[in-house]
Amino acid sequence: MNLDHHKNAIQENGFTVINNVFSEQEIRKIGEIIQNIDTSKETFRKSDDLFAIRQFLKEIPQVRELVFNENIKDIITEIFGEKYIVVKSIYFDKPEKSNWYVAYHQDLTISVDKKADISGFGPWTTKQNQFAVQPPIEILENIFTIRIHLDATDEYNGALKVIPKSHAKGIYRPETIDWSVETETICNVEKGGIMIMKPLLLHGSNRTTNGKKRRVIHIEFSDKELPEKLKWSENMN
């Protein structure tokens, strides 16, 4: 797998798509494990428009081996670096009839183990005993996100739309997007493919209009230590 082109694309544009990372069989196995779990826990969120599992790799440890196949390990080492660890994982299932859409935004928070008064960290939010905080920008700039697609995804079932290069513009308020200079790209990903993106890339997604599912495993990686009092809420080599 020659990954230099993808590494450059992430640096330059803030994202890249790599298809054929997982086989049909690997995707089916991952899907079967998710299908058979107890969904009554409070880290699971269920509505008509979305089913989500927070701390996905912690909650369902039996998927880890399948998720971190040889291809993904190579990609992490080659593109991110040796010392990157998992700091957040979520599973999203956008059902066939979902009206769920997401307006343009940047991912500005990280998940941590507790709330602490630390200069440069804030504002804070708490969801289902999960602490999230906006950290200093250099921590956000250092994160890579991998989105593993368990279904083929295009603009008709909620593929991400992104604004290339917006990851390099610091905190970028969506209401200030100047469409005379910015362009939108739709990131179609095949089943078994991945999208890698930087959290500061402006991104959003449309409602599903073609009656097809969109299941995605979202994993964030960093090689930064947090200040003394704080730990990443997930922390996995």
Side-chain angles (χ1 to χ4, degrees), residues 200-215:
L200 292 176
L201 181 75
L202 277 163
H203 60 285
S205 66
N206 292 337
R207 293 184 168 88
T208 299
T209 56
N210 64 359
K212 290 186 175 163
K213 280 170 92 68
R214 188 203 77 174
R215 294 168 301 156

Side-chain angles (χ1 to χ4, degrees), residues 14-47:
F15 70 99
T16 193
V17 171
I18 310 176
N19 285 310
N20 304 312
V21 175
F22 292 86
S23 67
E24 185 75 40
Q25 191 186 11
E26 287 170 319
I27 292 294
R28 196 180 62 245
K29 277 190 182 158
I30 292 170
E32 282 168 3
I33 290 171
I34 294 166
Q35 205 71 51
N36 292 319
I37 52 172
D38 165 19
T39 57
S40 61
K41 291 187 181 170
E42 62 175 27
T43 39
F44 298 4
R45 167 180 171 181
K46 261 184 151 164
S47 72

Side-chain angles (χ1 to χ4, degrees), residues 210-221:
N210 64 359
K212 290 186 175 163
K213 280 170 92 68
R214 188 203 77 174
R215 294 168 301 156
V216 170
I217 298 168
H218 169 117
I219 309 175
E220 295 176 18
F221 299 81

Side-chain angles (χ1 to χ4, degrees), residues 135-216:
I137 195 159
E138 56 274 15
I139 290 178
L140 295 171
E141 287 171 341
N142 170 264
I143 292 172
F144 288 92
T145 299
I146 293 183
R147 293 169 56 91
I148 299 168
H149 284 251
L150 305 184
D151 302 292
T153 309
D154 59 21
E155 65 267 40
Y156 304 111
N157 66 333
L160 282 196
K161 46 187 190 177
V162 305
I163 297 178
K165 303 189 191 327
S166 54
H167 70 299
K169 298 181 180 181
I171 305 291
Y172 191 153
R173 298 287 164 208
E175 60 277 15
T176 66
I177 297 170
D178 179 353
W179 289 108
S180 65
V181 295
E182 303 290 19
T183 54
E184 175 175 281
T185 298
I186 306 279
C187 300
N188 293 357
V189 186
E190 290 170 14
K191 180 180 186 172
I194 67 171
M195 176 182 174
I196 302 176
M197 59 179 269
K198 300 296 284 173
L200 292 176
L201 181 75
L202 277 163
H203 60 285
S205 66
N206 292 337
R207 293 184 168 88
T208 299
T209 56
N210 64 359
K212 290 186 175 163
K213 280 170 92 68
R214 188 203 77 174
R215 294 168 301 156
V216 170

